Amino acid sequence: MGALCYRAAEMKGDAPQEVCVFAPATVANVACGYDVLGFAIDKPGDEVVARLSAEPGLRITKITGDDGKLPIEAEKNTAGVAALDLLKHLGMLDLGIEMEIHKKMPFGSGLGSSAASAVAGAYAVNKLIGEPLTKKQLLPFAMTGEASADGAWHADNVGPCLLGGIVFIRDNQELDIAQLPVPKDLWAAVVHPDIEILTKVARGILPSEIPLANVTQQIGNLGGLICGLIQEDYGMISRSVHDVIAEPRRQKLIPEFYQAKRAAMAAGALGFSISGAGPSVFALCQGEETARKVGGAISAAFAQVDLGNQVYISQINQSGVRVVR
Ligand code: HSE
């Protein structure tokens, strides 16, 4: 109890006793930016509650929405690992904290589910202790949490989930990242078909070497997309949202992928590809009305083969993880 009082006294006066945060789903890669580009959407997302407790140490007391799949042990759970890594960095591992995790999006969905939990875990604890670190400073801790789930180190889900907007990662090891401008009429239609793809499997089918011509094309598209965002040039965005590296190899994991793509483009999408490792797919669109039409068209393509799906229509979420109460 002595250590707890000492640590609590160190915290800023306005630190809450309990905090509930929401961390949004994200679309990683955005077609041409494998592992280096991602954006956040408004929903779905995960919620994490953190509250101070008299018993020293971090404990996860409740998990909902996970069908019993997630470990309750904090050191094995993405949200717990992220929070523990943060507390260790701050020398506060003895602080008593109870955590609840409310999963509101499916696993293996390509929507950045484990990144959202990791971000929410680190952000909730940081808020609970009076916000000693900025959002950007939380990035390495959230990354450690996510990496504990999929074993890979890429910030294209964690970055936008934490900061919001469209995030470009120059270097995943250095975590050198930048938020890109978001054209005001840019919308996303994201559709999650009811199948599960393990990120590990989707990464495993990619070759370690890529033909130079493909690399050149992909760099051109990535540069073009960034220019298009900066200049609000929807034509340039549309010409750039193409993936010649991961999509041709991963599409076979997603039933009706090309039918869905054709339907999206016919309905007016600027571009269409796989969200992260899939199976979710996304389309960038100009305007809400087009995004709704495109979302409906993609959904109908999956429904044609009796594949249930959920459609999310969203502007780019510019706030990222946030406190809900
Ligand atoms: N960039 C990653 C991939 C995102 O495509 O494997 C997965 O979360």
Side-chain angles (χ1 to χ4, degrees):
M1 192 63 196
L4 174 62
C5 291
Y6 169 70
R7 292 300 184 193
E10 270 186 345
M11 295 191 288
K12 287 187 195 158
D14 55 358
Q17 291 294 304
E18 177 177 308
V19 66
C20 174
V21 309
F22 170 85
T26 44
V27 170
N29 302 335
V30 200
C32 50
Y34 179 73
D35 278 359
V36 300
L37 198 61
F39 64 81
I41 57 175
D42 287 338
K43 57 181 186 186
D46 287 348
E47 274 182 21
V48 163
V49 178
R51 72 177 70 86
L52 290 175
S53 147
E55 196 181 321
L58 174 77
R59 282 173 319 288
I60 298 174
T61 53
K62 191 178 188 180
I63 305 178
T64 64
D66 70 324
D67 295 328
K69 286 185 190 161
L70 287 182
I72 195 102
E73 297 90 350
E75 63 284 357
K76 292 186 188 158
N77 180 294
T78 50
V81 170
L84 285 170
D85 199 38
L86 170 67
L87 289 164
K88 184 173 167 208
H89 170 78
L90 296 171
M92 296 177 82
L93 277 173
D94 53 353
L95 183 66
I97 298 176
E98 288 181 359
M99 183 178 272
E100 289 178 15
I101 300 163
H102 303 288
K103 290 296 299 175
K104 305 220 166 152
M105 62 175 133
F107 299 101
S109 58
L111 296 171
S113 174
S114 44
S117 289
V119 165
Y123 185 72
V125 166
N126 189 54
K127 277 280 172 191
L128 189 68
I129 58 179
E131 220 171 347
L133 299 192
T134 63
K135 271 188 170 185
K136 206 167 177 182
Q137 287 172 327
L138 292 177
L139 188 61
F141 309 105
M143 289 285 291
T144 305
E146 197 209 5
S148 72
D150 80 1
W153 189 263
H154 46 86
D156 49 347
N157 292 113
V158 166
C161 181
L162 194 57
L163 304 176
I166 305 176
V167 170
F168 170 66
I169 302 114
R170 186 199 61 82
D171 188 300
N172 274 299
Q173 296 309 315
E174 292 175 25
L175 290 178
D176 186 6
I177 72 171
Q179 277 172 298
L180 298 171
V182 179
K184 60 179 184 323
D185 221 12
L186 190 65
W187 284 70
V190 180
V191 182
H192 170 241
D194 289 338
I195 54 168
E196 190 177 306
I197 295 178
L198 294 176
T199 301
K200 215 176 257 182
V201 172
R203 292 181 81 79
I205 62 173
L206 299 183
S208 53
E209 290 182 6
I210 302 287
L212 182 60
N214 287 166
V215 174
T216 309
Q217 215 177 340
Q218 197 92 344
I219 292 171
N221 285 333
L222 179 59
L225 178 53
I226 293 173
C227 288
L229 294 171
I230 292 170
Q231 296 172 351
E232 285 211 31
D233 180 342
Y234 291 96
M236 179 69 113
I237 293 171
S238 182
R239 294 193 296 282
S240 305
V241 180
H242 295 290
D243 175 9
V244 297
I245 291 178
E247 182 186 299
R249 294 163 172 107
R250 286 177 165 177
Q251 51 78 24
K252 54 178 166 289
L253 303 174
I254 305 169
E256 303 303 293
F257 177 81
Y258 285 122
Q259 284 79 350
K261 184 168 188 162
R262 273 195 295 275
M265 298 313 290
L270 296 168
F272 172 99
S273 192
I274 303 170
S275 173
S280 292
V281 294
F282 77 97
L284 285 180
C285 305
Q286 186 173 2
E288 179 176 2
E289 203 185 317
T290 305
R292 294 202 179 278
K293 208 169 135 199
V294 167
I298 299 169
S299 176
F302 287 135
Q304 285 247 323
V305 288
D306 288 331
L307 187 53
N309 59 84
Q310 298 81 44
V311 180
Y312 304 100
I313 305 297
S314 174
Q315 279 188 293
I316 308 301
N317 171 338
Q318 306 238 31
S319 52
V321 64
R322 63 188 161 84
V323 171
V324 285
R325 57 173 190 275

